[in-house]
Amino acid sequence: MFADRAKIYVKSGKGGDGHVSFRREKYVPAGGPDGGDGGKGGDVIFMVDQGLNTLIDFRNVRKYKAEDGEPGGKRNCRGKDGGDIVLRVPPGTVIKEAGSGQVIVDMSGENSRVVLLKGGRGGSGNQHYATSTMQAPTYAQPGRPARELELLLELKVIADVGLVGLPNVGKSTFLAWVTNAKPKIANYHFTTLNPNLGVVDLDGTKGFVIADIPGLIEGASEGVGLGHEFLRHIERTKVIIHIVDAAGTEGRDPVADIYAINRELDAYNPDIAKRPQVIAANKIDVIFDRDDSPVNAIKAEFEPKGIPVYPISAVSGEGVRELLYHVNGMLEEVGDEVTVFEQEFFPEQAAAADGLEEPYTVEYDASEDEYVIEGPSIEKMLGYTNLESEKGFAFFQNFLKTRGILEKLEQLEIQDGDTVRIYGHSFDYYK
């Protein structure tokens, strides 16, 4: 069974609580606090596995949780960190937030390993809260909560070339002829229910990957006949081979069929419809009058629009070689860059939103000549934000702006180049 979609629930680990304890040793009547810190909760990590080509495992198991961090102990013992959970997915898997359908990460290109949800940070033990006036604090910091999300996983096949066309026009036969793929072939509509991938090897070229997208019907862009299930697999392709039954063996008009499929592509995603396309006028082996061939009408209609037409026979192989070399040239013009879907949903933003109403302080520390920002929501946000990434840092800046923190700094007359400290992180301030 080919599974290209799954809905799962993931949850990171909760941070371990800090511990409250005091030294109890002989001849030490008033030992200080020695409560240890809690361990960090485990992360939820997605990793590409080149050996996988289906999401079937995620249909059998739908809930995944990382380990919680252990609480701290006495004698300054730190709790053990919770174990991460690593979920392996095939290349081309797009991870979305289930409720909104927005993209969190596309496991393609350089995205081979992604920390999707960070575990909660461990809480500080009471040893950290001792001051000159409070030498025996009886409280410790609780661990940061876990994060959870419901995800929609979609496998969008990574192929250079996509085959489209109505059912029974010979796409599976063509794919079997030109590649090492072994698709099941039969003479009835929707025989192909799974996208078939194959590698085309051409002398003098590096070859390319081709995908047989299951037969489309009118209304596919609206989800008729599994349309959406199939159309998503063509979203990454750089070149489209539009296979048409030029002989009209089922009494259909090939020109009208081409327009019908292009309308479906445009309705589903206009960007796909604009990609380079070549028409493979198939089944010329059953056209007996080559001088009055229907291929001529197809060429007259589409070649003036810049769409080349190649007459072929997927059964005998006639014309196929010329078509493939033309497609290879089209790919060389397009380039090697893989289509990667942009991030639309930021889990750290959702985490920060949980604490929008929580208080915070912005103060100037004259002894250190620093501006200090503190608050539970800010600390929580830092725990889920990757400040090393450009997008993560941009979100962090936007968070400070929307919370009014940057405005507070301006009111304290902060200047460019001054230092801002936020829970162990120091930054130079610039407008």
Side-chain angles (χ1 to χ4, degrees):
M1 177 183 178
F2 182 90
D4 64 355
R5 209 173 191 204
K7 183 180 286 188
I8 64 172
Y9 164 86
V10 295
K11 186 175 183 179
S12 63
K14 174 188 177 298
D17 295 336
H19 188 69
V20 177
S21 62
F22 300 90
R23 291 175 59 193
R24 293 291 182 265
E25 299 179 33
K26 196 173 183 180
Y27 308 118
V28 183
D34 67 352
D37 300 341
K40 175 185 173 296
D43 299 334
V44 176
I45 301 172
F46 279 84
M47 184 178 295
V48 169
D49 187 333
Q50 298 291 342
L52 297 177
N53 58 9
T54 174
L55 297 172
I56 187 66
D57 291 343
F58 295 100
R59 291 194 172 183
N60 299 326
V61 181
R62 295 181 180 270
K63 293 186 178 181
Y64 301 87
K65 186 183 182 305
E67 292 181 354
D68 294 336
E70 292 184 355
K74 57 186 178 180
R75 297 183 181 178
N76 300 327
C77 288
R78 184 180 185 277
K80 181 182 176 182
D81 290 342
D84 300 331
I85 184 167
V86 179
L87 305 180
R88 300 181 182 276
V89 295
T93 301
V94 179
I95 302 172
K96 299 180 177 181
E97 195 276 322
S100 64
Q102 294 179 317
V103 175
I104 300 176
V105 64
D106 181 353
M107 302 300 290
S108 307
E110 297 180 357
N111 294 332
S112 59
R113 185 182 185 277
V114 174
V115 179
L116 193 85
L117 291 179
K118 290 185 178 181
R121 289 194 300 171
S124 298
N126 68 331
Q127 59 173 311
H128 295 282
Y129 297 101
T131 66
S132 59
T133 57
M134 175 64 73
Q135 298 183 5
T138 57
Y139 53 86
Q141 183 185 41
R144 294 284 112 192
R147 303 306 307 175
E148 56 188 327
L149 277 176
E150 190 172 29
L151 304 176
L152 179 62
L153 308 183
E154 290 186 351
L155 178 57
K156 296 177 186 286
V157 171
I158 298 178
D160 302 304
V161 178
L163 302 181
V164 301
L166 289 170
N168 202 28
V169 295
K171 297 195 310 304
S172 296
T173 305
F174 176 82
L175 187 73
W177 179 271
V178 303
T179 76
N180 55 1
K182 297 293 187 288
K184 293 181 180 179
I185 301 168
N187 189 30
Y188 51 88
H189 289 186
F190 274 104
T191 179
T192 309
L193 292 179
N194 302 328
N196 290 301
L197 288 178
V199 178
V200 176
D201 294 318
L202 290 174
D203 293 339
T205 75
K206 62 182 180 181
F208 52 86
V209 179
I210 193 168
D212 168 20
I213 310 302
L216 301 179
I217 61 175
E218 291 190 71
S221 59
E222 300 173 0
V224 176
L226 302 181
H228 280 160
E229 303 300 313
F230 296 155
L231 281 165
R232 77 166 57 94
H233 293 294
I234 204 172
E235 292 188 17
R236 296 190 199 273
T237 56
K238 304 169 187 175
V239 172
I240 295 173
I241 298 179
H242 194 144
I243 297 187
V244 64
D245 178 2
T249 57
E250 295 186 348
R252 300 182 62 91
D253 178 0
V255 172
D257 288 348
I258 293 170
Y259 278 122
I261 294 301
N262 283 341
R263 281 194 300 270
E264 295 305 321
L265 294 177
D266 185 66
Y268 177 72
N269 186 336
D271 290 337
I272 296 176
K274 294 174 184 176
R275 290 178 192 169
Q277 186 175 135
V278 59
I279 295 173
N282 192 26
K283 302 190 181 183
I284 61 171
D285 53 293
V286 296
I287 297 175
F288 301 105
D289 187 353
R290 295 293 179 94
D291 294 330
D292 189 24
S293 170
V295 174
N296 297 331
I298 299 174
K299 288 186 173 183
E301 182 68 25
F302 293 101
E303 289 194 336
K305 302 179 188 298
I307 304 176
V309 178
Y310 280 78
I312 70 163
S313 169
V315 173
S316 69
E318 181 181 354
V320 170
R321 182 179 178 84
E322 293 79 3
L323 169 66
L324 294 178
Y325 272 102
H326 177 79
V327 169
N328 187 75
M330 296 171 72
L331 288 171
E332 289 179 348
E333 291 183 8
V334 173
D336 295 331
E337 187 175 350
V338 176
T339 300
V340 178
F341 298 98
E342 288 291 322
Q343 184 173 11
E344 300 169 329
F345 183 91
F346 297 83
E348 62 266 27
Q349 186 171 1
D354 291 346
L356 286 178
E357 302 302 321
E358 295 181 355
Y360 61 85
T361 59
V362 181
E363 299 174 340
Y364 175 66
D365 183 346
S367 63
E368 298 291 338
D369 191 24
E370 291 179 332
Y371 292 83
V372 182
I373 301 172
E374 293 182 337
S377 64
I378 298 166
E379 185 180 14
K380 186 188 302 181
M381 183 272 292
L382 281 175
Y384 301 115
T385 303
N386 180 12
L387 297 179
E388 300 298 323
S389 75
E390 184 177 345
K391 286 186 176 180
F393 191 78
F395 165 72
F396 168 72
Q397 288 180 305
N398 185 61
F399 175 82
L400 296 181
K401 181 178 180 180
T402 55
R403 292 298 315 276
I405 294 172
L406 297 185
E407 183 180 351
K408 290 286 183 66
L409 289 172
E410 292 289 336
Q411 291 173 1
L412 293 174
E413 300 182 349
I414 192 171
Q415 301 296 318
D416 283 356
D418 287 349
T419 301
V420 177
R421 187 176 78 246
I422 309 177
Y423 290 104
H425 297 273
S426 294
F427 309 92
D428 291 334
Y429 177 84
Y430 291 99
K431 288 187 179 179

